[in-house]
Amino acid sequence: ETGVTQSPTHLIKTRGQQVTLRCSSQSGHNTVSWYQQALGQGPQFIFQYYREEENGRGNFPPRFSGLQFPNYSSELNVNALELDDSALYLCASSLVGFTTNTGELFFGEGSRLTVL
Amino acid sequence: LAKTTQPISMDSYEGQEVNITCSHNNIATNDYITWYQQFPSQGPRFIIQGYKTKVTNEVASLFIPADRKSSTLSLPRVSLSDTAVYYCLVGDNFNKFYFGSGTKLNVKP
C-alpha cells in the first residue's frame, strides 16, 4: 500500500457536467501529479503540483484544472465533460520538486469516471 | 519532449528471464529512467530507477547504455504473478512526464 488515497473510486456523469476528484498524498510528499488512463492505454500526464503551484502540464485543455492544498492533498476538476473523458484518473505523489528527475511516484488506485 | 516506445506485448514462461526494452531518443541530460508495473484496475507500482549503466534491486535490473537513448528492464525468473503491463517513464526539462505505451507481459505456466 502506498498511502495515496483517491475518492471517489467510481462515478458516473453526463456530458456537460463538472466533476471533482480528490487525492490525499503520501505523508511527507509535497508533489502531486494527475494522470488520465483510457482503457488499454498508458497513463497520460495531465499536470503536476508542487507546493500548491502547477509546475508542469501535459496536452490537456484548460477545462482540466487542479488545486493543491497546504496539506499537499489535491483536487482535479474537469468542466464541460465529454464522452472521451471517460477514463481512470490516477493521482501520484512524490518528493520531487523543481527538478527534471521524475523520482519515484506513488500512485493511488484511481477514480473511474464514466461519462454518458 | 522525451516520449518513449516499447513493444506492445511479450510472452514468456515461468522461470525464464524477461528483457523489455524502451526507446527514449529525446531524453534530457538530467532525466532519470523509471519503470513501473501495473495490474488491472490498480495504479502503477514503482519497480526500479536508474540514470546510467546498470542498477539492480531485489526484483529487477535496469541496463542503460552510454548514450541513454534506450533502457532495458530485466526480470529474472518470472512467475505467473509477473503478468502485468510494464511502463518506462522519463521526465523532460519542462516537467512533463510521459509513460510509454506499455508492454503487456504474459507469463505462461
Side-chain angles (χ1 to χ4, degrees):
Chain A
E1 240 178 73
T2 63
V4 177
T5 58
Q6 294 186 241
S7 63
T9 55
H10 295 83
L11 69 166
I12 300 173
K13 293 284 188 178
T14 57
R15 285 177 57 186
Q17 285 189 313
Q18 177 266 343
V19 68
T20 297
L21 307 178
R22 296 177 175 81
C23 173
S24 293
S25 60
Q26 181 155 314
S27 177
H29 285 182
N30 60 5
T31 302
V32 173
S33 52
W34 286 90
Y35 295 80
Q36 180 195 67
Q37 186 171 26
L39 204 59
Q41 304 294 317
Q44 300 298 309
F45 175 70
I46 303 176
F47 43 57
Q48 174 175 280
Y49 279 82
Y50 168 72
R51 294 186 176 180
E52 304 177 56
E53 296 285 335
E54 182 182 299
N55 78 331
R57 190 177 182 92
N59 295 323
F60 281 82
R63 60 189 185 84
F64 286 78
S65 63
L67 284 173
Q68 187 180 32
F69 300 99
N71 67 354
Y72 301 129
S73 65
S74 178
E75 285 183 356
L76 165 66
N77 298 290
V78 186
N79 294 322
L81 285 168
E82 301 176 0
L83 298 180
D84 286 347
D85 296 333
S86 294
L88 179 68
Y89 288 85
L90 294 161
C91 165
S93 74
S94 63
L95 280 172
V96 177
F98 282 102
T99 72
T100 56
N101 179 357
T102 65
E104 180 177 348
L105 301 174
F106 293 81
F107 282 86
E109 297 303 306
S111 295
R112 173 76 61 186
L113 171 65
T114 301
V115 182
L116 302 176
Chain B
L1 301 175
K3 295 191 177 180
T4 61
T5 303
Q6 302 174 235
I8 294 174
S9 64
M10 295 180 70
D11 289 332
S12 182
Y13 291 93
E14 281 191 292
Q16 288 187 330
E17 177 185 78
V18 172
N19 296 311
I20 306 173
T21 297
C22 177
S23 297
H24 28 78
N25 291 322
N26 296 325
I27 189 169
T29 302
N30 295 329
D31 286 344
Y32 279 65
I33 300 153
T34 315
W35 284 79
Y36 288 83
Q37 175 192 57
Q38 188 177 28
F39 298 110
S41 300
Q42 295 186 20
R45 185 177 71 175
F46 174 88
I47 301 174
I48 196 167
Q49 182 183 72
Y51 182 80
K52 62 180 179 180
T53 62
K54 177 183 175 182
V55 179
T56 298
N57 63 19
E58 63 276 8
V59 299
S61 294
L62 179 59
F63 299 91
I64 305 169
D67 66 6
R68 302 197 333 118
K69 293 185 182 300
S70 66
S71 58
T72 298
L73 173 72
S74 181
L75 304 172
R77 298 178 300 279
V78 294
S79 64
L80 295 177
S81 63
D82 293 318
T83 294
V85 179
Y86 293 81
Y87 296 97
C88 75
L89 174 65
V90 298
D92 71 18
N93 287 324
F94 304 100
N95 289 330
K96 293 182 182 180
F97 308 111
Y98 291 95
F99 278 77
S101 53
T103 298
K104 184 175 174 57
L105 174 64
N106 182 30
V107 180
K108 304 174 183 178

